[in-house]
Amino acid sequence: MDENAVVTLDIGGCTTTTTTTAPTSLFYHGRHVQYIEKLSVALNSTKSYEGAVTEHLRMSGIYWTYAALSLLVSPEQADSILGVHCCSRPSNDEKTDQDYRPSIVEWVYRCFDERSGGFGGNIGHDGHLLYTLSAVQILAMANTEISQEKREAVIQFVVSLQQQDGSFSGDQWGEIDTRFTYCALCTLSLLKALDRVDVSQAVEYIASCQNLDGGFGSMKGAESHAGQVFCCVGALSIAKSLHKINHPDLLGWWLAERQVDSGGLNGRPEKQADVCYSWWILSVMTIIGRVDWISKDKLASFIAKAQDPEDGGIADRPEDMPDVFHTFFGIAGLSLLGKLPDSFRKIDPVYALPVDVVVRCGLSSQILAVKDSE
């Protein structure tokens, strides 16, 4: 792909340019693909900064990388660029085993924790729900079917983590967080095994975590946070239980209030806007049918300004350094806003996967009808 390839974003009257930020009317398609390709190599190296700081959560890093690229190119191109199914072997006798780069699919399977039955954040790490979901999502994008033996082990791992009150712990050490409920239900949905846990009890627990302001927290009584809102609403959508949301308009209003003067969204009151909330908040507003309650053009402009027009990638906010986490969620946000060309693959607001992957896997969820702001 031409690294200079750009597309024009349709964002109304917000197409401004400053001396320090990218033109908000342009999306640097080619540069972003190049950035992701280079980053995929750096993530694989323990000698690189990117490889060192993401060592403990490499599985999620691979998911963000693969998912971001999957929204920009065809499945075949993503496979070729990242080596999803093909390993990279040394080209001469001077290179060592450390230069061998396994395919993404092979690497994911190396992260399977035989003891727990889940996937870890890296090879040799303990199984955890966070990385188990990322692993299953990666394999779904790669159109790779998990063996029956490992599938059953993963299901048993997830089932073992549900608590008596319906909540889920992330691993054997017992931390409870609504993130883990989403991870559990999403993983089981991908594995066609939702009936293996008490979904109704999980739904009741999620409902108990909604606060008086309409938002959801990490557990009962915890402060409302946009990331936790996505996890709770996403889990309710998978369980087809959105009727458990108390006053959806109140939740929609709390989410709409997260938009600040810059056009970006923050995760809770009095915090800075951050590109990642373009996903956490837009996904929920899409699920509950209230995307029009915010200024979509101003948000698209904020995301566009956070691009690096020279090296590619998207940062948390304008003038910061890009990273793969914000690159993925920035691209996903523009996808949900409908600002990217129709030829690009679309993101599913519930499963955080390309829509064509969700369709191929036969996944289902609940989406409410669009409600206009008044």
Side-chain angles (χ1 to χ4, degrees), residues 120-139:
N122 209 326
I123 298 172
H125 290 209
D126 294 341
H128 194 286
L129 264 178
L130 290 173
Y131 308 119
T132 297
L133 173 58
S134 290
V136 174
Q137 288 173 314
I138 290 168
L139 295 175

Side-chain angles (χ1 to χ4, degrees), residues 16-17 66 74 111 117 155 160 182 191 211 234 291 363-364:
T16 59
T17 305
Y66 190 8
S74 69
C111 294
I155 293 170
S160 72
Y182 171 78
L191 297 176
N211 294 317
V291 173
L363 303 176
S364 62

Side-chain angles (χ1 to χ4, degrees), residues 257-333:
E257 284 188 319
R258 304 279 63 77
Q259 189 162 41
V260 298
D261 291 346
S262 64
L265 301 166
N266 62 25
R268 48 196 170 129
E270 303 302 322
K271 296 295 182 178
Q272 290 191 74
D274 189 311
V275 162
C276 71
Y277 294 113
S278 306
W279 165 259
W280 305 120
I281 290 176
L282 275 177
S283 55
V284 176
M285 300 191 87
T286 301
I287 292 169
I288 65 173
R290 288 161 173 80
V291 173
D292 290 338
W293 287 24
I294 62 169
S295 172
K296 293 186 284 188
D297 281 351
K298 288 184 178 179
L299 176 57
S301 175
F302 176 79
I303 298 171
K305 288 178 182 177
Q307 298 177 103
D308 185 330
E310 296 181 358
D311 297 321
I314 301 175
D316 56 348
R317 55 187 61 91
E319 301 185 41
D320 282 358
M321 289 291 292
D323 60 75
V324 67
F325 177 84
H326 292 93
T327 297
F328 169 48
F329 289 122
I331 295 170

Side-chain angles (χ1 to χ4, degrees), residues 36-85:
I36 293 168
E37 182 175 8
K38 289 182 178 179
L39 186 61
S40 69
V41 176
L43 287 173
N44 194 58
S45 172
T46 57
K47 297 179 181 179
S48 72
Y49 170 79
E50 294 87 354
V53 300
T54 64
E55 193 273 341
H56 65 293
L57 47 69
R58 185 69 49 77
M59 186 68 76
S60 292
I62 296 298
Y63 159 68
W64 298 326
T65 302
Y66 190 8
L69 187 62
S70 293
L71 296 178
L72 299 179
V73 300
S74 69
E76 295 75 22
Q77 289 174 305
D79 193 336
S80 175
I81 291 171
L82 296 181
V84 175
H85 292 96

